Amino acid sequence: MSFLSAKGSPGATTAALLVAALWPRDVLVLDADPAGGDVAARLPGAAGGVLDAERGLLPLLTSARRGLGPQQLLDGAQPAAGGTAVVCGLTRPEQAGAAAGSWPALASAAAGLGATGTDVVVDAGRVTTEPVHLSLLRASDVVVLVLRDDVASVLHARERLAALGTVLRRADGLLPRTGVLVVGDPRRGDGDQAAEVVRAAGDRVEDFGRLPLDTAGARVFDGARTARPERTALVRAGRGVVAALAAAAAGYHREAA
């Protein structure tokens, strides 16, 4: 499952971390933003220290030139606070292009890991119309475009989704289940209209729900102590999003079978 954005910082990383924390199966977070990862800078390690940003995606992409398997993904992960396994992202955008030929092997390993009972949640970052990690998106069972409910974000998301719709199809003809997740102030009620506009950009674009702009709730992913995080607006809304995404993933696997 991959989370991405079209422009700006609508909250794709927060959404990915939230879904991973609430996901009903074992999960691995893969920070695969080609521009450089944010997860290591946000999530503390399980022991309270910092995650090692040098141990993660770059060594995996380097070793992928000789082949890469699901177990190597697990070996490259670090335990973060809350117990989530995390593969830290790149530290510089130049690294993504230098390892351009290794992304397909990474995608294959991520897909294989799901078959072993551990699902992969990818923070894909801001995605262009020709992303270097396109193979990783194609291998996802679900692709989630995260956007804000303002006009600029909606327009950029609509154009990006229309462009990606033509390139996500795999060689076997399958497409990921693709949809939108809108972040905004629920008091304004603009999320439904935003989702409707973006969904019109392509066929079979789904609506995966809404997340509130809950700054206090999101701080739990920065290591902040939060009393009863399960009661925050972010987590309460996140449960519904997880249910929608789990149903989409199950539908994808039925189609693949």
Side-chain angles (χ1 to χ4, degrees):
M1 180 182 312
S2 292
F3 291 79
L4 56 95
S5 64
K7 188 176 177 64
S9 301
T13 298
T14 296
L17 294 176
L18 174 67
V19 168
L22 298 175
W23 197 246
R25 291 177 16 129
D26 290 340
V27 69
L28 173 76
V29 173
L30 177 60
D31 189 350
D33 186 344
D38 293 330
V39 173
R42 293 188 58 179
L43 272 182
V50 297
L51 296 173
D52 184 356
E54 299 296 332
R55 176 190 163 199
L57 187 57
L58 183 58
L60 287 172
L61 288 172
T62 301
S63 64
R65 297 166 184 167
R66 301 182 299 274
L68 189 68
Q71 186 58 47
Q72 289 169 276
L73 277 184
L74 292 176
D75 293 342
Q78 302 173 63
T84 302
V86 175
V87 173
C88 295
L90 302 175
T91 58
R92 300 188 306 277
E94 294 81 8
Q95 295 169 337
S102 299
W103 290 94
L106 178 69
S108 178
L113 188 59
T116 71
T118 298
D119 292 327
V120 180
V121 172
V122 177
D123 179 4
R126 189 184 305 173
V127 173
T128 65
T129 52
E130 295 182 357
V132 67
H133 56 346
L134 177 60
S135 55
L136 194 58
L137 301 179
R138 281 178 175 155
S140 301
D141 48 9
V142 180
V143 170
V144 185
L145 180 63
V146 183
L147 67 144
R148 293 288 178 93
D149 60 3
D150 59 79
V151 173
S153 186
V154 168
L155 293 178
H156 286 296
R158 183 179 65 181
E159 294 304 314
R160 191 58 42 81
L161 193 59
L164 286 175
T166 64
V167 298
L168 288 179
R169 190 176 300 278
R170 296 182 346 200
D172 60 6
L174 280 178
L175 277 167
R177 297 285 290 264
T178 303
V180 296
L181 176 59
V182 184
V183 179
D185 186 344
R187 295 172 297 183
R188 292 207 312 261
D190 295 334
D192 292 347
Q193 184 176 4
E196 182 178 351
V197 171
V198 178
R199 289 181 65 200
D203 296 331
R204 300 179 65 187
V205 178
E206 302 180 47
D207 185 353
F208 294 136
R210 312 284 175 267
L211 287 179
L213 280 172
D214 182 9
T215 303
R219 290 183 66 235
V220 71
F221 298 117
D222 299 320
R225 292 185 177 275
T226 303
R228 306 299 296 271
E230 70 277 6
R231 292 189 175 184
T232 63
L234 185 65
V235 171
R236 292 199 306 270
R239 293 192 183 100
V241 170
V242 164
L245 293 174
Y252 172 85
H253 291 295
R254 286 195 297 270
E255 293 171 4

mmCIF file of all heavy atoms in Angstrom, residues 5-6 8-9 13 31-39 57 61 88-98 103 123-128 131-133:
data_model
loop_
_atom_site.group_PDB
_atom_site.id
_atom_site.type_symbol
_atom_site.label_atom_id
_atom_site.label_comp_id
_atom_site.label_asym_id
_atom_site.label_seq_id
_atom_site.Cartn_x
_atom_site.Cartn_y
_atom_site.Cartn_z
ATOM 1 N N SER A 5 1.595 12.122 -2.520
ATOM 2 C CA SER A 5 0.968 13.434 -2.665
ATOM 3 C C SER A 5 1.329 14.002 -4.025
ATOM 4 O O SER A 5 2.265 13.533 -4.683
ATOM 5 C CB SER A 5 1.426 14.380 -1.553
ATOM 6 O OG SER A 5 2.819 14.628 -1.641
ATOM 7 N N ALA A 6 0.588 15.022 -4.444
ATOM 8 C CA ALA A 6 0.849 15.661 -5.726
ATOM 9 C C ALA A 6 1.697 16.911 -5.574
ATOM 10 O O ALA A 6 2.537 17.210 -6.412
ATOM 11 C CB ALA A 6 -0.469 16.009 -6.418
ATOM 12 N N GLY A 8 3.086 20.018 -2.333
ATOM 13 C CA GLY A 8 3.020 20.506 -0.964
ATOM 14 C C GLY A 8 3.173 19.388 0.047
ATOM 15 O O GLY A 8 3.738 18.329 -0.243
ATOM 16 N N SER A 9 2.657 19.621 1.227
ATOM 17 C CA SER A 9 2.744 18.646 2.320
ATOM 18 C C SER A 9 1.349 18.426 2.911
ATOM 19 O O SER A 9 1.027 18.929 3.987
ATOM 20 C CB SER A 9 3.709 19.159 3.399
ATOM 21 O OG SER A 9 4.989 19.374 2.864
ATOM 22 N N THR A 13 2.796 11.485 4.896
ATOM 23 C CA THR A 13 3.611 10.733 5.849
ATOM 24 C C THR A 13 2.828 10.431 7.118
ATOM 25 O O THR A 13 2.857 9.305 7.628
ATOM 26 C CB THR A 13 4.892 11.519 6.193
ATOM 27 O OG1 THR A 13 5.673 11.683 5.005
ATOM 28 C CG2 THR A 13 5.718 10.784 7.242
ATOM 29 N N ASP A 31 9.985 3.924 3.911
ATOM 30 C CA ASP A 31 10.078 5.331 3.540
ATOM 31 C C ASP A 31 10.789 5.409 2.198
ATOM 32 O O ASP A 31 12.009 5.301 2.119
ATOM 33 C CB ASP A 31 10.852 6.101 4.622
ATOM 34 C CG ASP A 31 10.804 7.601 4.402
ATOM 35 O OD1 ASP A 31 10.345 8.033 3.328
ATOM 36 O OD2 ASP A 31 11.251 8.350 5.298
ATOM 37 N N ALA A 32 10.011 5.599 1.136
ATOM 38 C CA ALA A 32 10.552 5.529 -0.218
ATOM 39 C C ALA A 32 10.386 6.839 -0.973
ATOM 40 O O ALA A 32 10.282 6.851 -2.204
ATOM 41 C CB ALA A 32 9.879 4.393 -0.991
ATOM 42 N N ASP A 33 10.389 7.956 -0.268
ATOM 43 C CA ASP A 33 10.295 9.263 -0.914
ATOM 44 C C ASP A 33 11.601 9.538 -1.654
ATOM 45 O O ASP A 33 12.658 9.650 -1.023
ATOM 46 C CB ASP A 33 10.049 10.332 0.148
ATOM 47 C CG ASP A 33 9.785 11.705 -0.462
ATOM 48 O OD1 ASP A 33 10.077 11.903 -1.657
ATOM 49 O OD2 ASP A 33 9.296 12.584 0.271
ATOM 50 N N PRO A 34 11.589 9.656 -2.992
ATOM 51 C CA PRO A 34 12.838 9.882 -3.729
ATOM 52 C C PRO A 34 13.510 11.206 -3.375
ATOM 53 O O PRO A 34 14.722 11.353 -3.578
ATOM 54 C CB PRO A 34 12.389 9.875 -5.195
ATOM 55 C CG PRO A 34 11.084 9.159 -5.207
ATOM 56 C CD PRO A 34 10.440 9.489 -3.895
ATOM 57 N N ALA A 35 12.757 12.156 -2.864
ATOM 58 C CA ALA A 35 13.335 13.453 -2.505
ATOM 59 C C ALA A 35 14.065 13.415 -1.172
ATOM 60 O O ALA A 35 14.719 14.381 -0.791
ATOM 61 C CB ALA A 35 12.236 14.517 -2.463
ATOM 62 N N GLY A 36 13.966 12.302 -0.453
ATOM 63 C CA GLY A 36 14.559 12.188 0.878
ATOM 64 C C GLY A 36 13.486 11.925 1.900
ATOM 65 O O GLY A 36 12.420 12.551 1.873
ATOM 66 N N GLY A 37 13.749 10.991 2.801
ATOM 67 C CA GLY A 37 12.722 10.550 3.738
ATOM 68 C C GLY A 37 12.580 11.451 4.945
ATOM 69 O O GLY A 37 13.525 12.115 5.377
ATOM 70 N N ASP A 38 11.365 11.454 5.510
ATOM 71 C CA ASP A 38 11.065 12.229 6.717
ATOM 72 C C ASP A 38 10.837 11.345 7.940
ATOM 73 O O ASP A 38 10.829 11.843 9.064
ATOM 74 C CB ASP A 38 9.800 13.071 6.510
ATOM 75 C CG ASP A 38 9.988 14.166 5.483
ATOM 76 O OD1 ASP A 38 11.138 14.647 5.354
ATOM 77 O OD2 ASP A 38 9.009 14.527 4.810
ATOM 78 N N VAL A 39 10.626 10.052 7.730
ATOM 79 C CA VAL A 39 10.213 9.194 8.838
ATOM 80 C C VAL A 39 11.282 9.124 9.919
ATOM 81 O O VAL A 39 10.990 9.211 11.113
ATOM 82 C CB VAL A 39 9.851 7.786 8.330
ATOM 83 C CG1 VAL A 39 9.590 6.835 9.491
ATOM 84 C CG2 VAL A 39 8.621 7.853 7.421
ATOM 85 N N LEU A 57 17.025 2.423 3.332
ATOM 86 C CA LEU A 57 16.705 2.235 1.922
ATOM 87 C C LEU A 57 17.942 2.228 1.028
ATOM 88 O O LEU A 57 18.037 1.419 0.109
ATOM 89 C CB LEU A 57 15.736 3.324 1.466
ATOM 90 C CG LEU A 57 15.169 3.179 0.053
ATOM 91 C CD1 LEU A 57 14.454 1.845 -0.114
ATOM 92 C CD2 LEU A 57 14.211 4.329 -0.266
ATOM 93 N N LEU A 61 18.845 -0.583 -1.749
ATOM 94 C CA LEU A 61 18.906 -0.324 -3.184
ATOM 95 C C LEU A 61 20.270 -0.697 -3.752
ATOM 96 O O LEU A 61 20.371 -1.175 -4.888
ATOM 97 C CB LEU A 61 18.604 1.150 -3.458
ATOM 98 C CG LEU A 61 17.150 1.578 -3.265
ATOM 99 C CD1 LEU A 61 17.017 3.097 -3.367
ATOM 100 C CD2 LEU A 61 16.232 0.901 -4.274
ATOM 101 N N CYS A 88 14.213 3.172 7.023
ATOM 102 C CA CYS A 88 14.423 4.607 6.860
ATOM 103 C C CYS A 88 14.700 4.953 5.401
ATOM 104 O O CYS A 88 15.213 4.138 4.635
ATOM 105 C CB CYS A 88 15.592 5.074 7.729
ATOM 106 S SG CYS A 88 15.286 4.911 9.497
ATOM 107 N N GLY A 89 14.373 6.187 5.046
ATOM 108 C CA GLY A 89 14.484 6.600 3.657
ATOM 109 C C GLY A 89 15.837 7.150 3.278
ATOM 110 O O GLY A 89 16.800 7.123 4.059
ATOM 111 N N LEU A 90 15.907 7.644 2.052
ATOM 112 C CA LEU A 90 17.127 8.253 1.539
ATOM 113 C C LEU A 90 17.393 9.560 2.268
ATOM 114 O O LEU A 90 16.464 10.213 2.767
ATOM 115 C CB LEU A 90 16.984 8.507 0.036
ATOM 116 C CG LEU A 90 16.673 7.265 -0.822
ATOM 117 C CD1 LEU A 90 16.427 7.682 -2.273
ATOM 118 C CD2 LEU A 90 17.796 6.248 -0.742
ATOM 119 N N THR A 91 18.642 9.955 2.298
ATOM 120 C CA THR A 91 18.992 11.217 2.958
ATOM 121 C C THR A 91 19.146 12.363 1.968
ATOM 122 O O THR A 91 19.086 13.530 2.361
ATOM 123 C CB THR A 91 20.294 11.064 3.761
ATOM 124 O OG1 THR A 91 21.350 10.636 2.883
ATOM 125 C CG2 THR A 91 20.115 10.031 4.873
ATOM 126 N N ARG A 92 19.327 12.037 0.675
ATOM 127 C CA ARG A 92 19.481 13.076 -0.354
ATOM 128 C C ARG A 92 18.765 12.631 -1.625
ATOM 129 O O ARG A 92 18.776 11.440 -1.972
ATOM 130 C CB ARG A 92 20.962 13.317 -0.679
ATOM 131 C CG ARG A 92 21.800 13.761 0.495
ATOM 132 C CD ARG A 92 23.206 14.167 0.052
ATOM 133 N NE ARG A 92 23.864 13.129 -0.722
ATOM 134 C CZ ARG A 92 24.502 12.091 -0.175
ATOM 135 N NH1 ARG A 92 24.551 11.958 1.144
ATOM 136 N NH2 ARG A 92 25.087 11.184 -0.941
ATOM 137 N N PRO A 93 18.145 13.564 -2.355
ATOM 138 C CA PRO A 93 17.418 13.180 -3.573
ATOM 139 C C PRO A 93 18.316 12.598 -4.648
ATOM 140 O O PRO A 93 17.856 11.808 -5.477
ATOM 141 C CB PRO A 93 16.770 14.495 -4.027
ATOM 142 C CG PRO A 93 17.519 15.575 -3.338
ATOM 143 C CD PRO A 93 17.995 14.994 -2.046
ATOM 144 N N GLU A 94 19.605 12.957 -4.654
ATOM 145 C CA GLU A 94 20.512 12.421 -5.674
ATOM 146 C C GLU A 94 20.642 10.906 -5.582
ATOM 147 O O GLU A 94 20.931 10.238 -6.573
ATOM 148 C CB GLU A 94 21.900 13.067 -5.538
ATOM 149 C CG GLU A 94 21.942 14.555 -5.843
ATOM 150 C CD GLU A 94 21.474 15.412 -4.681
ATOM 151 O OE1 GLU A 94 21.252 14.852 -3.573
ATOM 152 O OE2 GLU A 94 21.315 16.631 -4.877
ATOM 153 N N GLN A 95 20.430 10.366 -4.394
ATOM 154 C CA GLN A 95 20.568 8.927 -4.205
ATOM 155 C C GLN A 95 19.508 8.152 -4.977
ATOM 156 O O GLN A 95 19.753 7.025 -5.419
ATOM 157 C CB GLN A 95 20.489 8.593 -2.717
ATOM 158 C CG GLN A 95 21.637 9.165 -1.897
ATOM 159 C CD GLN A 95 21.397 9.037 -0.410
ATOM 160 O OE1 GLN A 95 20.249 8.930 0.051
ATOM 161 N NE2 GLN A 95 22.475 9.058 0.360
ATOM 162 N N ALA A 96 18.330 8.742 -5.153
ATOM 163 C CA ALA A 96 17.244 8.042 -5.840
ATOM 164 C C ALA A 96 17.590 7.788 -7.298
ATOM 165 O O ALA A 96 17.383 6.694 -7.827
ATOM 166 C CB ALA A 96 15.950 8.848 -5.744
ATOM 167 N N GLY A 97 18.149 8.798 -7.966
ATOM 168 C CA GLY A 97 18.519 8.627 -9.366
ATOM 169 C C GLY A 97 19.704 7.712 -9.550
ATOM 170 O O GLY A 97 19.762 6.941 -10.518
ATOM 171 N N ALA A 98 20.655 7.768 -8.618
ATOM 172 C CA ALA A 98 21.837 6.925 -8.726
ATOM 173 C C ALA A 98 21.486 5.443 -8.629
ATOM 174 O O ALA A 98 22.188 4.593 -9.184
ATOM 175 C CB ALA A 98 22.839 7.289 -7.629
ATOM 176 N N TRP A 103 15.129 -0.050 -8.213
ATOM 177 C CA TRP A 103 13.771 0.060 -7.674
ATOM 178 C C TRP A 103 12.884 -1.134 -8.022
ATOM 179 O O TRP A 103 12.086 -1.570 -7.184
ATOM 180 C CB TRP A 103 13.122 1.361 -8.139
ATOM 181 C CG TRP A 103 13.723 2.583 -7.511
ATOM 182 C CD1 TRP A 103 14.719 3.361 -8.028
ATOM 183 C CD2 TRP A 103 13.388 3.163 -6.242
ATOM 184 N NE1 TRP A 103 15.019 4.391 -7.157
ATOM 185 C CE2 TRP A 103 14.222 4.298 -6.063
ATOM 186 C CE3 TRP A 103 12.464 2.838 -5.257
ATOM 187 C CZ2 TRP A 103 14.148 5.110 -4.934
ATOM 188 C CZ3 TRP A 103 12.385 3.652 -4.125
ATOM 189 C CH2 TRP A 103 13.225 4.755 -3.965
ATOM 190 N N ASP A 123 5.628 5.119 2.208
ATOM 191 C CA ASP A 123 5.523 6.569 2.101
ATOM 192 C C ASP A 123 6.265 6.952 0.832
ATOM 193 O O ASP A 123 7.493 7.001 0.808
ATOM 194 C CB ASP A 123 6.135 7.240 3.332
ATOM 195 C CG ASP A 123 6.072 8.767 3.251
ATOM 196 O OD1 ASP A 123 5.488 9.296 2.286
ATOM 197 O OD2 ASP A 123 6.630 9.433 4.151
ATOM 198 N N ALA A 124 5.517 7.192 -0.250
ATOM 199 C CA ALA A 124 6.118 7.421 -1.566
ATOM 200 C C ALA A 124 6.433 8.879 -1.821
ATOM 201 O O ALA A 124 7.029 9.210 -2.850
ATOM 202 C CB ALA A 124 5.191 6.890 -2.666
ATOM 203 N N GLY A 125 6.033 9.768 -0.918
ATOM 204 C CA GLY A 125 6.353 11.180 -1.073
ATOM 205 C C GLY A 125 5.573 11.847 -2.193
ATOM 206 O O GLY A 125 4.516 11.395 -2.614
ATOM 207 N N ARG A 126 6.149 12.937 -2.665
ATOM 208 C CA ARG A 126 5.530 13.676 -3.767
ATOM 209 C C ARG A 126 5.885 12.983 -5.072
ATOM 210 O O ARG A 126 7.057 12.780 -5.380
ATOM 211 C CB ARG A 126 6.039 15.121 -3.780
ATOM 212 C CG ARG A 126 5.294 16.038 -4.747
ATOM 213 C CD ARG A 126 5.922 17.409 -4.765
ATOM 214 N NE ARG A 126 5.998 17.983 -3.419
ATOM 215 C CZ ARG A 126 6.624 19.123 -3.143
ATOM 216 N NH1 ARG A 126 7.257 19.786 -4.098
ATOM 217 N NH2 ARG A 126 6.632 19.577 -1.898
ATOM 218 N N VAL A 127 4.862 12.624 -5.845
ATOM 219 C CA VAL A 127 5.068 11.800 -7.032
ATOM 220 C C VAL A 127 4.848 12.630 -8.287
ATOM 221 O O VAL A 127 3.827 13.298 -8.441
ATOM 222 C CB VAL A 127 4.122 10.582 -7.017
ATOM 223 C CG1 VAL A 127 4.206 9.818 -8.324
ATOM 224 C CG2 VAL A 127 4.473 9.666 -5.852
ATOM 225 N N THR A 128 5.811 12.581 -9.200
ATOM 226 C CA THR A 128 5.699 13.247 -10.486
ATOM 227 C C THR A 128 5.030 12.306 -11.483
ATOM 228 O O THR A 128 4.655 11.182 -11.151
ATOM 229 C CB THR A 128 7.085 13.650 -11.003
ATOM 230 O OG1 THR A 128 7.848 12.464 -11.259
ATOM 231 C CG2 THR A 128 7.819 14.508 -9.973
ATOM 232 N N PRO A 131 7.760 9.030 -12.002
ATOM 233 C CA PRO A 131 8.513 8.812 -10.765
ATOM 234 C C PRO A 131 9.571 7.733 -10.925
ATOM 235 O O PRO A 131 9.356 6.723 -11.602
ATOM 236 C CB PRO A 131 7.433 8.381 -9.763
ATOM 237 C CG PRO A 131 6.350 7.793 -10.612
ATOM 238 C CD PRO A 131 6.365 8.574 -11.891
ATOM 239 N N VAL A 132 10.711 7.932 -10.282
ATOM 240 C CA VAL A 132 11.788 6.948 -10.357
ATOM 241 C C VAL A 132 11.377 5.645 -9.691
ATOM 242 O O VAL A 132 11.864 4.572 -10.047
ATOM 243 C CB VAL A 132 13.077 7.521 -9.720
ATOM 244 C CG1 VAL A 132 12.900 7.713 -8.225
ATOM 245 C CG2 VAL A 132 14.276 6.634 -10.005
ATOM 246 N N HIS A 133 10.435 5.731 -8.756
ATOM 247 C CA HIS A 133 9.983 4.532 -8.044
ATOM 248 C C HIS A 133 8.626 4.043 -8.545
ATOM 249 O O HIS A 133 7.832 3.497 -7.788
ATOM 250 C CB HIS A 133 9.936 4.786 -6.542
ATOM 251 C CG HIS A 133 9.086 5.952 -6.120
ATOM 252 N ND1 HIS A 133 8.613 6.921 -6.975
ATOM 253 C CD2 HIS A 133 8.602 6.307 -4.884
ATOM 254 C CE1 HIS A 133 7.891 7.806 -6.308
ATOM 255 N NE2 HIS A 133 7.867 7.452 -5.050
#
